[in-house]
């Protein structure tokens, strides 16, 4: 039931403080302040040589974000690939690879086929799935559940942040098991993660600011999303969300790739959404904002550091929109900034009057190739 919400998607976006909390506490113990003993008992990341993450769509972007954490924190090499490519590519696998399928439904045909292929190669497999009775949940050697609850909207929202919650908790597990962090650091990272639901609740308060810019955004033909580091895959996810429900053409790019081609697209009709948490890459992203503005681009900057946004002049200054996000540790920035990205797509679609929960041509679960 939708309750007082207009769409299931809106309801599901607003459920995220609870759905991330449920997922995080299944992996992390708020009392002892570390990874739960049963999670540690189920896997030994010190024996894993590489993670091969396979997924489709939004689940692929969750895996792509998690890669940064597994590599940075745990020193564990990670490959992430869309299942429809991976399964037909005859990939060369090394011993010790742990294949991780990420899927809300646990039934996506390409992801399932990729998982089965990995098993046929003798690899150990794990599945991060939201439907705990699904085929992937049954067939993988290891089940890492997400606890988003049933997701009705075709556009994935709370399943995505639940996937991030589980995967980031597993990255902390891997870092601990591989001796990269001590117990105190494990506890600190667990506390940072357990603080995410509160920050997600705060991020939902950005709703009003976002509604105010969607009138403008809904008139665009093309929208560009930029991010760096963990927010690069989030930019891809933001573009996918906008495409899916508002039918506006959108592309995400790594901010550093802008000058290698996409900057040719910039003009006064192309809004550029910049996802820029205040982290060690902020200044670099800010300089991309200046490049866009200098070419007449209309920038929408989502950041917790509005005071650091470069001063622009003339028309660029007039068209710049800064949307303030809550302060957060860079480790959970992608989780927290998921919310404004979802709200931006949602309100733009509502403004256009599209069928938000059942967008044209899309199915909730893609069980055919
Ligand atoms: O059930 P899955 O997570 O395996 O589904 C994967 C994709 O089909 C799914 O994420 C799709 O991209 C959504 N429509 C995104 O909003």
């Amino acid at each position: 039931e939708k309750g007082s919400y207009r769409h299931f998607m809106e309801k599901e976006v607003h459920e995220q403080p609870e759905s991330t909390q449920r997922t995080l506490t299944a992996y992390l113990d708020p009392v002892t302040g570390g990874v739960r003993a049963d999670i540690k008992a189920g896997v030994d990341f010190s024996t894993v040589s590489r993670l091969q993450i396979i997924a489709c769509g939004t689940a692929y972007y969750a895996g792509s974000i998690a890669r940064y954490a597994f590599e940075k924190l745990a020193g564990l090499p990670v490959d992430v690939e869309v299942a429809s490519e991976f399964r037909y590519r005859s990939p060369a696998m090394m011993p010790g690879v742990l294949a991780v399928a990420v899927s809300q439904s646990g039934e996506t045909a390409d992801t399932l086929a990729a998982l089965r292929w990995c098993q046929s190669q003798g690899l150990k497999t794990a599945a991060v799935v939201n439907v705990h009775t699904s085929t992937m949940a049954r067939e993988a050697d290891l089940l890492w559940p997400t606890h988003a609850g049933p997701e009705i909207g075709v556009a994935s929202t709370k399943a995505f942040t639940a996937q991030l919650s589980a995967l980031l908790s597993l990255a902390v597990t891997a870092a601990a098991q591989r001796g990269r962090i001590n117990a105190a650091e494990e506890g600190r990272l667990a506390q940072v993660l357990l603080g995410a639901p509160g920050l997600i609740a705060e991020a939902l308060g950005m709703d009003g600011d976002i509604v105010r810019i969607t009138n403008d955004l809904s008139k665009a033909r093309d929208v560009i999303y930029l991010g760096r580091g963990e927010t690069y895959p989030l930019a891809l996810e933001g573009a996918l969300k906008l495409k899916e429900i508002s039918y506006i053409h959108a592309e995400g790019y790594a901010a550093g790739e802008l000058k290698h081609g996409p900057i040719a697209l910039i003009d006064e009709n192309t809004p550029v959404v910049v996802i820029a948490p205040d982290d060690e890459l902020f200044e670099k992203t800010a300089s991309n904002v200046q490049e866009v503005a200098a070419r007449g681009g209309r920038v929408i900057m989502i950041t917790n550091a509005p005071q650091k946004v470069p001063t622009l002049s003339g028309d660029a200054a007039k068209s710049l929109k800064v949307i303030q996000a809550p302060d957060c540790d860079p480790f959970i920035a992608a989780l927290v900034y998921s919310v404004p990205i979802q709200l931006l797509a949602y309100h733009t679609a509502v403004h256009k009057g599209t069928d938000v929960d059942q967008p044209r041509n899309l199915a909730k679960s893609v069980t055919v190739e």
Side-chain angles (χ1 to χ4, degrees):
E1 263 315 299
K2 284 189 289 226
S4 57
Y5 293 105
R6 287 166 292 179
H7 300 95
F8 281 108
M9 179 179 175
E10 186 183 34
K11 174 170 178 267
E12 289 161 2
V13 166
H14 282 83
E15 275 171 10
Q16 290 176 111
E18 297 81 43
S19 52
T20 51
Q21 163 94 4
R22 274 197 304 274
T23 305
L24 287 164
T25 52
Y27 290 82
L28 307 171
D29 189 335
V31 180
T32 62
V35 177
R36 285 191 182 278
D38 58 323
I39 297 294
K40 281 187 171 163
V43 61
D44 181 2
F45 281 105
S46 70
T47 63
V48 173
S49 63
R50 178 176 279 272
L51 286 189
Q52 175 64 60
I53 300 178
I54 34 191
C56 299
T58 289
Y60 167 70
Y61 298 132
S64 304
I65 291 169
R67 163 201 240 159
Y68 291 82
F70 278 107
E71 297 208 324
K72 201 183 290 178
L73 283 181
L76 181 57
V78 181
D79 281 323
V80 191
E81 192 166 348
V82 287
S84 57
E85 283 301 311
F86 177 86
R87 62 176 292 202
Y88 295 117
R89 195 167 60 80
S90 308
M93 290 285 130
M94 299 183 313
V97 171
L98 173 63
V100 183
V102 184
S103 175
Q104 188 286 129
S105 62
E107 303 293 348
T108 299
D110 283 321
T111 310
L112 181 60
L115 182 78
R116 287 178 173 158
W117 182 85
C118 290
Q119 285 181 321
S120 75
Q121 301 298 300
L123 299 179
K124 187 161 181 193
T125 59
V128 176
V129 291
N130 195 45
V131 179
H132 307 163
T133 51
S134 60
T135 311
M136 283 182 223
R138 277 199 314 274
E139 293 192 10
D141 301 316
L142 249 173
L143 171 59
W144 282 321
T146 56
H147 299 274
E151 191 179 62
I152 310 294
V154 164
S156 181
T157 54
K158 63 174 182 169
F160 174 66
T161 49
Q163 286 160 351
L164 288 178
S165 302
L167 289 165
L168 294 179
S169 302
L170 290 163
V172 176
T173 314
Q177 291 182 331
R178 294 167 67 82
R180 292 293 182 123
I181 54 171
N182 60 22
E185 181 62 1
E186 178 186 330
R188 189 192 72 81
L189 290 167
Q191 286 316 317
V192 167
L193 273 169
L194 290 165
L199 292 166
I200 286 173
E202 223 181 288
L204 287 166
M206 298 164 78
D207 207 59
D209 287 346
I210 289 174
V211 170
R212 275 189 280 283
I213 60 161
T214 45
N215 177 23
D216 216 24
L217 206 63
S218 65
K219 298 194 183 92
R221 199 192 64 176
D222 311 286
V223 177
I224 290 175
Y225 285 73
L226 299 178
R228 266 182 196 269
E230 290 89 331
T231 63
Y232 161 45
L234 187 61
L236 301 178
E237 164 63 5
L240 176 68
K241 213 91 299 172
L242 190 71
K243 278 185 268 212
E244 281 190 296
I245 59 171
S246 76
Y247 314 145
I248 295 172
H249 171 239
E251 295 301 331
Y253 294 104
E257 272 291 293
L258 196 62
K259 52 170 80 63
H260 299 284
I263 201 162
L265 296 171
I266 304 295
D267 63 16
E268 60 287 354
N269 300 316
T270 311
V272 181
V273 178
V274 184
I275 312 169
D278 188 12
D279 57 18
E280 81 253 23
L281 299 171
F282 180 87
E283 269 73 29
K284 301 227 176 284
T285 309
S287 84
N288 298 126
V289 167
Q290 280 171 314
E291 287 160 8
V292 170
R295 285 154 186 87
R298 281 153 49 199
V299 177
I300 298 164
M301 194 159 175
I302 305 175
T303 182
N304 58 321
Q307 73 286 358
K308 288 198 193 170
V309 174
T311 319
L312 306 173
S313 55
D315 288 347
K318 269 186 257 142
S319 65
L320 173 72
K321 305 265 186 313
V322 179
I323 305 181
Q324 177 146 17
D327 278 328
C328 67
D329 189 294
F331 180 46
I332 55 165
L335 198 43
V336 176
Y337 282 64
S338 297
V339 173
I341 285 305
Q342 295 163 352
L343 291 172
L344 203 63
Y346 174 72
H347 288 298
T348 305
V350 168
H351 206 275
K352 287 198 76 173
T354 53
D355 186 346
V356 173
D357 284 333
Q358 291 287 331
R360 67 185 184 201
N361 308 341
L362 294 177
K364 180 68 188 158
S365 175
V366 184
T367 52
V368 290
E369 292 172 30

